[in-house]
PDB file of all heavy atoms in Angstrom:
ATOM      1  N   ALA A 297       5.629  23.610  -5.222  1.00  0.00           N
ATOM      2  CA  ALA A 297       6.144  23.627  -6.596  1.00  0.00           C
ATOM      3  C   ALA A 297       6.319  22.216  -7.152  1.00  0.00           C
ATOM      4  O   ALA A 297       5.975  21.956  -8.309  1.00  0.00           O
ATOM      5  CB  ALA A 297       7.467  24.384  -6.648  1.00  0.00           C
ATOM      6  N   ILE A 298       6.845  21.306  -6.351  1.00  0.00           N
ATOM      7  CA  ILE A 298       7.078  19.927  -6.816  1.00  0.00           C
ATOM      8  C   ILE A 298       5.752  19.218  -7.046  1.00  0.00           C
ATOM      9  O   ILE A 298       5.548  18.575  -8.084  1.00  0.00           O
ATOM     10  CB  ILE A 298       7.961  19.155  -5.808  1.00  0.00           C
ATOM     11  CG1 ILE A 298       9.359  19.774  -5.748  1.00  0.00           C
ATOM     12  CG2 ILE A 298       8.033  17.673  -6.177  1.00  0.00           C
ATOM     13  CD1 ILE A 298      10.192  19.314  -4.560  1.00  0.00           C
ATOM     14  N   GLU A 299       4.840  19.334  -6.091  1.00  0.00           N
ATOM     15  CA  GLU A 299       3.546  18.647  -6.230  1.00  0.00           C
ATOM     16  C   GLU A 299       2.705  19.271  -7.337  1.00  0.00           C
ATOM     17  O   GLU A 299       1.915  18.582  -7.972  1.00  0.00           O
ATOM     18  CB  GLU A 299       2.809  18.630  -4.896  1.00  0.00           C
ATOM     19  CG  GLU A 299       3.494  17.718  -3.883  1.00  0.00           C
ATOM     20  CD  GLU A 299       2.806  17.674  -2.530  1.00  0.00           C
ATOM     21  OE1 GLU A 299       1.937  18.531  -2.244  1.00  0.00           O
ATOM     22  OE2 GLU A 299       3.168  16.777  -1.737  1.00  0.00           O
ATOM     23  N   GLU A 300       2.890  20.551  -7.592  1.00  0.00           N
ATOM     24  CA  GLU A 300       2.195  21.193  -8.707  1.00  0.00           C
ATOM     25  C   GLU A 300       2.782  20.706 -10.036  1.00  0.00           C
ATOM     26  O   GLU A 300       2.043  20.481 -11.001  1.00  0.00           O
ATOM     27  CB  GLU A 300       2.329  22.710  -8.592  1.00  0.00           C
ATOM     28  CG  GLU A 300       1.552  23.480  -9.638  1.00  0.00           C
ATOM     29  CD  GLU A 300       1.640  24.968  -9.407  1.00  0.00           C
ATOM     30  OE1 GLU A 300       2.760  25.538  -9.532  1.00  0.00           O
ATOM     31  OE2 GLU A 300       0.597  25.561  -9.096  1.00  0.00           O
ATOM     32  N   ARG A 301       4.092  20.515 -10.078  1.00  0.00           N
ATOM     33  CA  ARG A 301       4.751  20.013 -11.290  1.00  0.00           C
ATOM     34  C   ARG A 301       4.275  18.612 -11.619  1.00  0.00           C
ATOM     35  O   ARG A 301       4.073  18.260 -12.776  1.00  0.00           O
ATOM     36  CB  ARG A 301       6.275  20.040 -11.096  1.00  0.00           C
ATOM     37  CG  ARG A 301       7.119  19.530 -12.244  1.00  0.00           C
ATOM     38  CD  ARG A 301       6.986  20.311 -13.537  1.00  0.00           C
ATOM     39  NE  ARG A 301       7.114  21.730 -13.408  1.00  0.00           N
ATOM     40  CZ  ARG A 301       8.114  22.463 -13.885  1.00  0.00           C
ATOM     41  NH1 ARG A 301       9.100  21.880 -14.526  1.00  0.00           N
ATOM     42  NH2 ARG A 301       8.123  23.763 -13.722  1.00  0.00           N
ATOM     43  N   ASN A 302       4.102  17.786 -10.573  1.00  0.00           N
ATOM     44  CA  ASN A 302       3.601  16.422 -10.781  1.00  0.00           C
ATOM     45  C   ASN A 302       2.689  16.060  -9.615  1.00  0.00           C
ATOM     46  O   ASN A 302       3.167  15.666  -8.544  1.00  0.00           O
ATOM     47  CB  ASN A 302       4.754  15.424 -10.885  1.00  0.00           C
ATOM     48  CG  ASN A 302       4.264  14.034 -11.232  1.00  0.00           C
ATOM     49  OD1 ASN A 302       3.138  13.653 -10.903  1.00  0.00           O
ATOM     50  ND2 ASN A 302       5.105  13.254 -11.888  1.00  0.00           N
ATOM     51  N   PRO A 303       1.371  16.170  -9.803  1.00  0.00           N
ATOM     52  CA  PRO A 303       0.424  15.900  -8.720  1.00  0.00           C
ATOM     53  C   PRO A 303       0.425  14.450  -8.219  1.00  0.00           C
ATOM     54  O   PRO A 303      -0.161  14.164  -7.179  1.00  0.00           O
ATOM     55  CB  PRO A 303      -0.935  16.259  -9.327  1.00  0.00           C
ATOM     56  CG  PRO A 303      -0.628  17.117 -10.507  1.00  0.00           C
ATOM     57  CD  PRO A 303       0.723  16.700 -10.994  1.00  0.00           C
ATOM     58  N   ARG A 304       1.105  13.550  -8.930  1.00  0.00           N
ATOM     59  CA  ARG A 304       1.182  12.158  -8.466  1.00  0.00           C
ATOM     60  C   ARG A 304       2.263  11.975  -7.407  1.00  0.00           C
ATOM     61  O   ARG A 304       2.358  10.923  -6.786  1.00  0.00           O
ATOM     62  CB  ARG A 304       1.419  11.218  -9.649  1.00  0.00           C
ATOM     63  CG  ARG A 304       0.187  11.114 -10.560  1.00  0.00           C
ATOM     64  CD  ARG A 304       0.434  10.235 -11.772  1.00  0.00           C
ATOM     65  NE  ARG A 304       1.485  10.721 -12.648  1.00  0.00           N
ATOM     66  CZ  ARG A 304       1.339  11.699 -13.549  1.00  0.00           C
ATOM     67  NH1 ARG A 304       0.196  12.305 -13.687  1.00  0.00           N
ATOM     68  NH2 ARG A 304       2.355  12.062 -14.318  1.00  0.00           N
ATOM     69  N   LEU A 305       3.058  12.999  -7.194  1.00  0.00           N
ATOM     70  CA  LEU A 305       4.104  12.939  -6.172  1.00  0.00           C
ATOM     71  C   LEU A 305       3.563  13.460  -4.849  1.00  0.00           C
ATOM     72  O   LEU A 305       2.661  14.297  -4.820  1.00  0.00           O
ATOM     73  CB  LEU A 305       5.316  13.773  -6.596  1.00  0.00           C
ATOM     74  CG  LEU A 305       5.998  13.373  -7.896  1.00  0.00           C
ATOM     75  CD1 LEU A 305       7.136  14.332  -8.213  1.00  0.00           C
ATOM     76  CD2 LEU A 305       6.494  11.943  -7.849  1.00  0.00           C
ATOM     77  N   HIS A 306       4.152  12.954  -3.776  1.00  0.00           N
ATOM     78  CA  HIS A 306       3.848  13.460  -2.436  1.00  0.00           C
ATOM     79  C   HIS A 306       5.189  13.822  -1.804  1.00  0.00           C
ATOM     80  O   HIS A 306       6.142  13.039  -1.855  1.00  0.00           O
ATOM     81  CB  HIS A 306       3.132  12.390  -1.596  1.00  0.00           C
ATOM     82  CG  HIS A 306       2.934  12.822  -0.183  1.00  0.00           C
ATOM     83  ND1 HIS A 306       1.939  13.683   0.194  1.00  0.00           N
ATOM     84  CD2 HIS A 306       3.642  12.546   0.930  1.00  0.00           C
ATOM     85  CE1 HIS A 306       2.025  13.908   1.501  1.00  0.00           C
ATOM     86  NE2 HIS A 306       3.055  13.226   1.968  1.00  0.00           N
ATOM     87  N   VAL A 307       5.268  15.015  -1.219  1.00  0.00           N
ATOM     88  CA  VAL A 307       6.531  15.489  -0.660  1.00  0.00           C
ATOM     89  C   VAL A 307       6.355  15.803   0.820  1.00  0.00           C
ATOM     90  O   VAL A 307       5.390  16.463   1.210  1.00  0.00           O
ATOM     91  CB  VAL A 307       7.034  16.745  -1.408  1.00  0.00           C
ATOM     92  CG1 VAL A 307       8.412  17.161  -0.887  1.00  0.00           C
ATOM     93  CG2 VAL A 307       7.081  16.502  -2.915  1.00  0.00           C
ATOM     94  N   ASP A 308       7.289  15.327   1.637  1.00  0.00           N
ATOM     95  CA  ASP A 308       7.325  15.604   3.068  1.00  0.00           C
ATOM     96  C   ASP A 308       8.607  16.353   3.395  1.00  0.00           C
ATOM     97  O   ASP A 308       9.682  16.018   2.887  1.00  0.00           O
ATOM     98  CB  ASP A 308       7.329  14.302   3.885  1.00  0.00           C
ATOM     99  CG  ASP A 308       6.004  13.578   3.836  1.00  0.00           C
ATOM    100  OD1 ASP A 308       5.010  14.131   4.351  1.00  0.00           O
ATOM    101  OD2 ASP A 308       5.967  12.463   3.283  1.00  0.00           O
ATOM    102  N   HIS A 309       8.484  17.339   4.269  1.00  0.00           N
ATOM    103  CA  HIS A 309       9.659  18.019   4.819  1.00  0.00           C
ATOM    104  C   HIS A 309      10.137  17.159   5.988  1.00  0.00           C
ATOM    105  O   HIS A 309       9.375  16.871   6.905  1.00  0.00           O
ATOM    106  CB  HIS A 309       9.249  19.425   5.281  1.00  0.00           C
ATOM    107  CG  HIS A 309      10.369  20.254   5.796  1.00  0.00           C
ATOM    108  ND1 HIS A 309      10.139  21.392   6.540  1.00  0.00           N
ATOM    109  CD2 HIS A 309      11.717  20.154   5.691  1.00  0.00           C
ATOM    110  CE1 HIS A 309      11.294  21.951   6.853  1.00  0.00           C
ATOM    111  NE2 HIS A 309      12.268  21.217   6.362  1.00  0.00           N
ATOM    112  N   ILE A 310      11.383  16.729   5.937  1.00  0.00           N
ATOM    113  CA  ILE A 310      11.950  15.836   6.955  1.00  0.00           C
ATOM    114  C   ILE A 310      13.239  16.460   7.477  1.00  0.00           C
ATOM    115  O   ILE A 310      13.640  17.522   7.041  1.00  0.00           O
ATOM    116  CB  ILE A 310      12.211  14.430   6.374  1.00  0.00           C
ATOM    117  CG1 ILE A 310      13.106  14.536   5.134  1.00  0.00           C
ATOM    118  CG2 ILE A 310      10.886  13.727   6.047  1.00  0.00           C
ATOM    119  CD1 ILE A 310      13.604  13.228   4.583  1.00  0.00           C
ATOM    120  N   GLY A 311      13.899  15.787   8.384  1.00  0.00           N
ATOM    121  CA  GLY A 311      15.177  16.264   8.901  1.00  0.00           C
ATOM    122  C   GLY A 311      15.011  17.368   9.932  1.00  0.00           C
ATOM    123  O   GLY A 311      13.906  17.788  10.268  1.00  0.00           O
ATOM    124  N   SER A 312      16.131  17.860  10.442  1.00  0.00           N
ATOM    125  CA  SER A 312      16.094  18.794  11.566  1.00  0.00           C
ATOM    126  C   SER A 312      15.412  20.117  11.234  1.00  0.00           C
ATOM    127  O   SER A 312      14.802  20.728  12.110  1.00  0.00           O
ATOM    128  CB  SER A 312      17.500  19.034  12.123  1.00  0.00           C
ATOM    129  OG  SER A 312      18.355  19.515  11.116  1.00  0.00           O
ATOM    130  N   THR A 313      15.468  20.579   9.989  1.00  0.00           N
ATOM    131  CA  THR A 313      14.808  21.847   9.670  1.00  0.00           C
ATOM    132  C   THR A 313      13.287  21.727   9.689  1.00  0.00           C
ATOM    133  O   THR A 313      12.590  22.735   9.658  1.00  0.00           O
ATOM    134  CB  THR A 313      15.257  22.415   8.307  1.00  0.00           C
ATOM    135  OG1 THR A 313      14.935  21.492   7.273  1.00  0.00           O
ATOM    136  CG2 THR A 313      16.739  22.749   8.305  1.00  0.00           C
ATOM    137  N   SER A 314      12.765  20.504   9.767  1.00  0.00           N
ATOM    138  CA  SER A 314      11.315  20.289   9.827  1.00  0.00           C
ATOM    139  C   SER A 314      10.800  20.163  11.261  1.00  0.00           C
ATOM    140  O   SER A 314       9.599  19.999  11.472  1.00  0.00           O
ATOM    141  CB  SER A 314      10.936  19.022   9.057  1.00  0.00           C
ATOM    142  OG  SER A 314      11.370  17.860   9.738  1.00  0.00           O
ATOM    143  N   VAL A 315      11.702  20.233  12.224  1.00  0.00           N
ATOM    144  CA  VAL A 315      11.343  20.038  13.629  1.00  0.00           C
ATOM    145  C   VAL A 315      11.525  21.350  14.386  1.00  0.00           C
ATOM    146  O   VAL A 315      12.656  21.802  14.570  1.00  0.00           O
ATOM    147  CB  VAL A 315      12.218  18.933  14.272  1.00  0.00           C
ATOM    148  CG1 VAL A 315      11.862  18.734  15.739  1.00  0.00           C
ATOM    149  CG2 VAL A 315      12.092  17.629  13.494  1.00  0.00           C
ATOM    150  N   PRO A 316      10.423  21.987  14.804  1.00  0.00           N
ATOM    151  CA  PRO A 316      10.549  23.256  15.515  1.00  0.00           C
ATOM    152  C   PRO A 316      11.520  23.158  16.701  1.00  0.00           C
ATOM    153  O   PRO A 316      11.499  22.199  17.461  1.00  0.00           O
ATOM    154  CB  PRO A 316       9.123  23.550  15.993  1.00  0.00           C
ATOM    155  CG  PRO A 316       8.275  22.872  14.957  1.00  0.00           C
ATOM    156  CD  PRO A 316       9.027  21.607  14.607  1.00  0.00           C
ATOM    157  N   GLU A 317      12.373  24.146  16.776  1.00  0.00           N
ATOM    158  CA  GLU A 317      13.375  24.294  17.830  1.00  0.00           C
ATOM    159  C   GLU A 317      14.534  23.305  17.749  1.00  0.00           C
ATOM    160  O   GLU A 317      15.372  23.267  18.641  1.00  0.00           O
ATOM    161  CB  GLU A 317      12.745  24.257  19.232  1.00  0.00           C
ATOM    162  CG  GLU A 317      11.670  25.297  19.440  1.00  0.00           C
ATOM    163  CD  GLU A 317      12.112  26.719  19.059  1.00  0.00           C
ATOM    164  OE1 GLU A 317      13.229  27.123  19.397  1.00  0.00           O
ATOM    165  OE2 GLU A 317      11.311  27.414  18.403  1.00  0.00           O
ATOM    166  N   CYS A 318      14.612  22.511  16.695  1.00  0.00           N
ATOM    167  CA  CYS A 318      15.705  21.548  16.554  1.00  0.00           C
ATOM    168  C   CYS A 318      16.885  22.210  15.849  1.00  0.00           C
ATOM    169  O   CYS A 318      16.747  22.772  14.770  1.00  0.00           O
ATOM    170  CB  CYS A 318      15.246  20.326  15.765  1.00  0.00           C
ATOM    171  SG  CYS A 318      16.450  18.985  15.734  1.00  0.00           S
ATOM    172  N   ARG A 319      18.039  22.128  16.476  1.00  0.00           N
ATOM    173  CA  ARG A 319      19.257  22.630  15.858  1.00  0.00           C
ATOM    174  C   ARG A 319      19.832  21.543  14.969  1.00  0.00           C
ATOM    175  O   ARG A 319      19.651  20.361  15.221  1.00  0.00           O
ATOM    176  CB  ARG A 319      20.268  23.022  16.934  1.00  0.00           C
ATOM    177  CG  ARG A 319      19.765  24.181  17.793  1.00  0.00           C
ATOM    178  CD  ARG A 319      20.664  24.453  18.973  1.00  0.00           C
ATOM    179  NE  ARG A 319      20.669  23.268  19.842  1.00  0.00           N
ATOM    180  CZ  ARG A 319      21.706  22.854  20.552  1.00  0.00           C
ATOM    181  NH1 ARG A 319      22.833  23.500  20.540  1.00  0.00           N
ATOM    182  NH2 ARG A 319      21.623  21.776  21.311  1.00  0.00           N
ATOM    183  N   GLY A 320      20.498  21.960  13.908  1.00  0.00           N
ATOM    184  CA  GLY A 320      21.071  20.968  13.006  1.00  0.00           C
ATOM    185  C   GLY A 320      21.937  21.592  11.939  1.00  0.00           C
ATOM    186  O   GLY A 320      22.392  22.729  12.071  1.00  0.00           O
ATOM    187  N   LYS A 321      22.126  20.856  10.882  1.00  0.00           N
ATOM    188  CA  LYS A 321      23.048  21.225   9.817  1.00  0.00           C
ATOM    189  C   LYS A 321      22.523  22.370   8.950  1.00  0.00           C
ATOM    190  O   LYS A 321      23.281  23.019   8.245  1.00  0.00           O
ATOM    191  CB  LYS A 321      23.342  19.991   8.973  1.00  0.00           C
ATOM    192  CG  LYS A 321      24.575  20.090   8.117  1.00  0.00           C
ATOM    193  CD  LYS A 321      24.973  18.756   7.542  1.00  0.00           C
ATOM    194  CE  LYS A 321      23.906  18.221   6.623  1.00  0.00           C
ATOM    195  NZ  LYS A 321      24.317  17.098   5.825  1.00  0.00           N
ATOM    196  N   GLY A 322      21.231  22.608   8.962  1.00  0.00           N
ATOM    197  CA  GLY A 322      20.673  23.710   8.186  1.00  0.00           C
ATOM    198  C   GLY A 322      20.451  23.398   6.724  1.00  0.00           C
ATOM    199  O   GLY A 322      20.483  24.289   5.886  1.00  0.00           O
ATOM    200  N   VAL A 323      20.216  22.131   6.406  1.00  0.00           N
ATOM    201  CA  VAL A 323      19.886  21.718   5.040  1.00  0.00           C
ATOM    202  C   VAL A 323      18.420  21.325   5.031  1.00  0.00           C
ATOM    203  O   VAL A 323      17.956  20.608   5.921  1.00  0.00           O
ATOM    204  CB  VAL A 323      20.762  20.520   4.591  1.00  0.00           C
ATOM    205  CG1 VAL A 323      20.283  19.957   3.268  1.00  0.00           C
ATOM    206  CG2 VAL A 323      22.220  20.938   4.500  1.00  0.00           C
ATOM    207  N   ILE A 324      17.693  21.788   4.036  1.00  0.00           N
ATOM    208  CA  ILE A 324      16.288  21.400   3.896  1.00  0.00           C
ATOM    209  C   ILE A 324      16.259  20.027   3.243  1.00  0.00           C
ATOM    210  O   ILE A 324      16.679  19.867   2.099  1.00  0.00           O
ATOM    211  CB  ILE A 324      15.507  22.418   3.047  1.00  0.00           C
ATOM    212  CG1 ILE A 324      15.485  23.772   3.749  1.00  0.00           C
ATOM    213  CG2 ILE A 324      14.093  21.915   2.759  1.00  0.00           C
ATOM    214  CD1 ILE A 324      14.904  24.896   2.918  1.00  0.00           C
ATOM    215  N   ASP A 325      15.794  19.043   3.991  1.00  0.00           N
ATOM    216  CA  ASP A 325      15.653  17.683   3.466  1.00  0.00           C
ATOM    217  C   ASP A 325      14.196  17.446   3.117  1.00  0.00           C
ATOM    218  O   ASP A 325      13.302  17.719   3.926  1.00  0.00           O
ATOM    219  CB  ASP A 325      16.102  16.646   4.499  1.00  0.00           C
ATOM    220  CG  ASP A 325      17.609  16.530   4.572  1.00  0.00           C
ATOM    221  OD1 ASP A 325      18.206  16.101   3.571  1.00  0.00           O
ATOM    222  OD2 ASP A 325      18.172  16.865   5.622  1.00  0.00           O
ATOM    223  N   LEU A 326      13.980  16.927   1.918  1.00  0.00           N
ATOM    224  CA  LEU A 326      12.636  16.569   1.462  1.00  0.00           C
ATOM    225  C   LEU A 326      12.609  15.100   1.099  1.00  0.00           C
ATOM    226  O   LEU A 326      13.569  14.574   0.535  1.00  0.00           O
ATOM    227  CB  LEU A 326      12.252  17.392   0.222  1.00  0.00           C
ATOM    228  CG  LEU A 326      12.260  18.909   0.359  1.00  0.00           C
ATOM    229  CD1 LEU A 326      11.983  19.552  -0.998  1.00  0.00           C
ATOM    230  CD2 LEU A 326      11.256  19.370   1.395  1.00  0.00           C
ATOM    231  N   ALA A 327      11.497  14.441   1.419  1.00  0.00           N
ATOM    232  CA  ALA A 327      11.242  13.088   0.925  1.00  0.00           C
ATOM    233  C   ALA A 327      10.245  13.253  -0.213  1.00  0.00           C
ATOM    234  O   ALA A 327       9.084  13.595   0.010  1.00  0.00           O
ATOM    235  CB  ALA A 327      10.662  12.205   2.020  1.00  0.00           C
ATOM    236  N   VAL A 328      10.723  13.080  -1.439  1.00  0.00           N
ATOM    237  CA  VAL A 328       9.880  13.172  -2.629  1.00  0.00           C
ATOM    238  C   VAL A 328       9.468  11.748  -2.952  1.00  0.00           C
ATOM    239  O   VAL A 328      10.292  10.935  -3.376  1.00  0.00           O
ATOM    240  CB  VAL A 328      10.632  13.827  -3.805  1.00  0.00           C
ATOM    241  CG1 VAL A 328       9.757  13.884  -5.048  1.00  0.00           C
ATOM    242  CG2 VAL A 328      11.127  15.214  -3.407  1.00  0.00           C
ATOM    243  N   THR A 329       8.189  11.439  -2.708  1.00  0.00           N
ATOM    244  CA  THR A 329       7.748  10.054  -2.816  1.00  0.00           C
ATOM    245  C   THR A 329       6.862   9.846  -4.038  1.00  0.00           C
ATOM    246  O   THR A 329       6.114  10.733  -4.445  1.00  0.00           O
ATOM    247  CB  THR A 329       7.001   9.612  -1.544  1.00  0.00           C
ATOM    248  OG1 THR A 329       5.839  10.408  -1.362  1.00  0.00           O
ATOM    249  CG2 THR A 329       7.905   9.729  -0.318  1.00  0.00           C
ATOM    250  N   TYR A 330       6.995   8.645  -4.589  1.00  0.00           N
ATOM    251  CA  TYR A 330       6.276   8.273  -5.803  1.00  0.00           C
ATOM    252  C   TYR A 330       5.619   6.919  -5.586  1.00  0.00           C
ATOM    253  O   TYR A 330       6.050   6.122  -4.751  1.00  0.00           O
ATOM    254  CB  TYR A 330       7.232   8.216  -7.001  1.00  0.00           C
ATOM    255  CG  TYR A 330       8.366   7.236  -6.810  1.00  0.00           C
ATOM    256  CD1 TYR A 330       8.246   5.899  -7.190  1.00  0.00           C
ATOM    257  CD2 TYR A 330       9.559   7.636  -6.208  1.00  0.00           C
ATOM    258  CE1 TYR A 330       9.268   5.002  -6.988  1.00  0.00           C
ATOM    259  CE2 TYR A 330      10.594   6.745  -6.004  1.00  0.00           C
ATOM    260  CZ  TYR A 330      10.450   5.427  -6.396  1.00  0.00           C
ATOM    261  OH  TYR A 330      11.464   4.528  -6.181  1.00  0.00           O
ATOM    262  N   ARG A 331       4.580   6.675  -6.344  1.00  0.00           N
ATOM    263  CA  ARG A 331       3.889   5.381  -6.306  1.00  0.00           C
ATOM    264  C   ARG A 331       4.598   4.415  -7.256  1.00  0.00           C
ATOM    265  O   ARG A 331       5.448   4.822  -8.047  1.00  0.00           O
ATOM    266  CB  ARG A 331       2.439   5.564  -6.702  1.00  0.00           C
ATOM    267  CG  ARG A 331       1.743   6.568  -5.796  1.00  0.00           C
ATOM    268  CD  ARG A 331       0.468   6.026  -5.258  1.00  0.00           C
ATOM    269  NE  ARG A 331      -0.184   7.035  -4.426  1.00  0.00           N
ATOM    270  CZ  ARG A 331      -0.460   6.870  -3.159  1.00  0.00           C
ATOM    271  NH1 ARG A 331      -0.142   5.763  -2.558  1.00  0.00           N
ATOM    272  NH2 ARG A 331      -1.068   7.821  -2.481  1.00  0.00           N
ATOM    273  N   ALA A 332       4.235   3.147  -7.207  1.00  0.00           N
ATOM    274  CA  ALA A 332       4.868   2.101  -8.017  1.00  0.00           C
ATOM    275  C   ALA A 332       4.992   2.535  -9.478  1.00  0.00           C
ATOM    276  O   ALA A 332       4.025   3.011 -10.075  1.00  0.00           O
ATOM    277  CB  ALA A 332       4.069   0.809  -7.921  1.00  0.00           C
ATOM    278  N   GLY A 333       6.202   2.390 -10.011  1.00  0.00           N
ATOM    279  CA  GLY A 333       6.459   2.712 -11.405  1.00  0.00           C
ATOM    280  C   GLY A 333       6.730   4.186 -11.678  1.00  0.00           C
ATOM    281  O   GLY A 333       6.940   4.569 -12.822  1.00  0.00           O
TER     282      GLY A 333
END
């Protein structure tokens, strides 16, 4: 949804919910990255 809204963005799923079998806080963390400017 985010990359479709703005194809110039790149999004990575990070944090414990992105690691199979990793226990954690249960919050979906995303790194929404942008190019210069």
